Amino acid sequence: MNRQENLIAQRGQIIGLREAGHSVRAIGHILGLSPITVAKWIRRWNESGDLRDAVSKAAEKSIPRKRTGTRHRNYWFYCDEIREQNRRIIKHRKLHRRNPSDKSLSLLQELIRHTKEISRRVRAEKWYEWCSTIDERSKLREMWRNINIATGRMARLDPPKDAERLNSNFAVRAATTNLPAEIQNRLQQLRDTRQEKMDETVLKRDEAGGPFTSDELFRTRKKCKDTALGDDGITNSIFSALGNGVHTALLTIMNESWGVGRLPLAWIKADILPIPKPKEKL
């Protein structure tokens, strides 16, 4: 006996005891109901005068045949194929309850597994079908609504928070810690090898360039022009007039700097003087 049948039988007992002359409190004590419930049902019985009609109205109010305003979370991809599989599951579950056996249980489990596979396939097809409709005219609010429906979240839309959540989920799922152990070990070996190659390249001297020659320095100085003076107040013209001694010393400093991979501190210092535009304060 289901709930509706129990409800109808209980209401019939209330009317029968009332017709037998019992009070509201006595009926509630006999049936284990509150006096308020008993009085409510007796009032409906007196108003309708028809037991069957009163029972139907009470049952419809307490157990609606169809819920309004609510949807199943999987309604967006639910179809006839899934409905048919669910019907088969219900049928086999009833058969298993009537005649339980290992064979019927394994058959029911296999049917449930097959239904889940079909649901996953249909869900993926519906999702790809919706994604294919996205273009430059798609509304952002509608996109977020469909995403929330597909993920089972019907909360209020909050695009920044949802975007952050999706980004975090993607970062977690794409992390290397989720990879198999052998792949993680291989990646670590590659990182170590790459670091060794980088260190070797940095420490290795450039054999192709080699030390600067006197001719290279001379040709370069010949192309240079006088620029703004530094702290020492020496220009390129002064270097050219000092002779070969300064030229040799400069070449030695440049080759030593190239060998150790560092520039002299005096060479990396500069005086910067901002020049404001006309009628503009500094």
Side-chain angles (χ1 to χ4, degrees):
M1 184 179 294
N2 56 28
R3 182 179 177 183
Q4 188 171 2
E5 293 175 350
N6 290 331
L7 182 65
I8 295 174
Q10 189 180 73
R11 299 304 185 254
Q13 291 175 358
I14 293 175
I15 299 303
L17 293 174
R18 184 63 174 176
E19 292 292 334
H22 293 279
S23 64
V24 173
R25 187 177 297 275
I27 295 173
H29 180 72
I30 295 172
L31 299 179
L33 300 174
S34 65
I36 298 176
T37 302
V38 175
K40 184 187 298 184
W41 176 248
I42 293 175
R43 184 174 64 254
R44 291 178 181 175
W45 159 252
N46 293 330
E47 292 175 356
S48 62
D50 185 3
L51 177 61
R52 185 173 182 178
D53 182 56
V55 169
S56 299
K57 290 182 179 180
E60 180 66 25
K61 186 174 182 180
S62 59
I63 310 175
R65 295 181 181 179
K66 183 178 180 181
R67 296 182 179 180
T68 58
T70 59
R71 289 182 176 179
H72 194 271
R73 63 178 182 177
N74 296 333
Y75 78 93
W76 63 278
F77 68 90
Y78 204 76
C79 62
D80 294 337
E81 187 177 5
I82 299 178
R83 184 180 295 106
E84 178 64 22
Q85 292 297 324
N86 290 336
R87 188 187 65 80
R88 293 180 180 178
I89 290 176
I90 295 174
K91 180 179 179 180
H92 282 76
R93 185 178 285 118
K94 290 181 179 179
L95 293 175
H96 177 67
R97 289 176 180 175
R98 293 174 184 173
N99 300 312
S101 63
D102 295 339
K103 184 177 180 180
S104 61
L105 179 60
S106 61
L107 182 62
L108 178 61
Q109 292 175 348
E110 182 63 27
L111 183 59
I112 293 175
R113 190 180 304 108
H114 180 63
T115 303
K116 289 182 178 180
E117 293 177 357
I118 293 178
S119 299
R120 284 193 292 267
R121 176 178 58 79
V122 173
R123 179 185 178 125
E125 291 176 355
K126 289 290 185 179
W127 175 255
Y128 294 145
E129 180 182 353
W130 173 74
C131 291
S132 63
T133 60
I134 299 176
D135 54 15
E136 64 276 4
R137 294 185 298 273
S138 300
K139 295 182 179 180
L140 185 60
R141 177 173 293 275
E142 187 67 21
M143 292 173 60
W144 280 111
R145 177 179 175 275
N146 291 335
I147 291 175
N148 286 332
I149 291 175
T151 55
R153 297 176 65 255
M154 299 300 293
R156 185 177 179 181
L157 295 178
D158 190 357
K161 186 180 295 184
D162 290 341
E164 183 65 25
R165 178 181 57 82
L166 291 175
N167 188 24
S168 300
N169 291 341
F170 177 78
V172 172
R173 296 177 63 181
T176 55
T177 54
N178 296 329
L179 296 174
E182 57 273 12
I183 297 180
Q184 294 187 31
N185 295 334
R186 180 57 179 167
L187 289 176
Q188 184 62 37
Q189 294 175 2
L190 292 176
R191 280 194 291 266
D192 296 340
T193 305
R194 189 184 302 114
Q195 187 63 36
E196 293 176 0
K197 293 292 184 182
M198 292 176 61
D199 296 341
E200 182 180 353
T201 303
V202 171
L203 297 177
K204 184 178 180 180
R205 296 184 59 181
D206 189 359
E207 301 295 341
F212 299 106
T213 62
S214 179
D215 293 337
E216 290 176 342
L217 179 58
F218 179 77
R219 289 195 300 268
T220 303
R221 286 178 52 193
K222 191 174 182 180
K223 296 178 182 178
C224 293
K225 298 180 180 180
D226 290 340
T227 57
L229 300 178
D231 291 337
D232 53 9
I234 300 176
T235 62
N236 184 60
S237 299
I238 297 176
F239 269 116
S240 300
L242 291 178
N244 294 331
V246 175
H247 180 85
T248 304
L250 180 60
L251 180 62
T252 303
I253 295 174
M254 294 179 64
N255 285 329
E256 290 293 334
S257 176
W258 178 265
V260 299
R262 295 180 182 178
L263 291 174
L265 294 178
W267 289 12
I268 59 178
K269 290 183 179 180
D271 294 333
I272 300 176
L273 299 177
I275 302 176
K277 295 181 179 180
K279 299 181 181 181
E280 182 178 343
K281 294 183 179 181
L282 182 60

